[in-house]
Every structure is written in C-alpha cells, then in structure tokens.
Amino acid sequence: MNNNNERLAAIIAEKLKEKGLIKSDDTSVESELAKGKLKETAWKIALEEVLNSNGEEANETTEENATE
C-alpha cells in the first residue's frame, strides 16, 4: 500500500472485521473505501451479509436444540 487512503482503508476494514461487522474475506469494502467510491448500498450489503449469516446460524442452533 503506497498511499494514505489505502492505509486508512486497511485499518478501518480490519477494525470492522474484528468487530464482526463485515466478513473477514470481504475485500470490496476496503478497496472501494480506499478509492473514495464506497457507496451506501455497498455498506448495506456488507452488513446484511453478516447479519443474515448470523441469523442463519442462530436458526440452525435453535432447530438442533428443538430436535434433542
């Protein structure tokens, strides 16, 4: 990374990943943020992916507990 925007985007993306707000394999948020082209819809999609995957995991756990 050779400019300040890229370094800052990497730091922000890492913090979001640590907090579980975006998927750990999501690179689109970081690259678009560094370019200054991250749109509201991209944020929404990234957050919804995490929320939906967490919801699915919770549903699976509930279903497993119900069958026991």
Side-chain angles (χ1 to χ4, degrees), residues 2-67:
N2 46 358
N3 73 38
N4 291 332
N5 290 345
E6 291 173 339
R7 286 193 291 274
L8 181 57
I11 292 168
I12 292 169
E14 186 59 35
K15 296 293 181 184
L16 291 170
K17 290 173 185 177
E18 286 175 6
K19 298 291 182 181
L21 297 173
I22 61 175
K23 289 185 173 185
S24 60
D25 60 351
D26 189 344
T27 58
S28 62
V29 170
E30 183 178 338
S31 63
E32 292 300 305
L33 184 61
K35 295 175 196 172
K37 296 183 178 185
L38 187 63
K39 298 189 186 284
E40 176 184 333
T41 53
W43 278 112
K44 184 179 179 193
I45 290 169
L47 290 171
E48 285 178 345
E49 285 178 346
V50 171
L51 292 174
N52 289 338
S53 68
N54 288 343
E56 289 171 6
E57 290 172 8
N59 287 340
E60 288 174 4
T61 302
T62 303
E63 288 173 5
E64 288 174 5
N65 290 337
T67 59

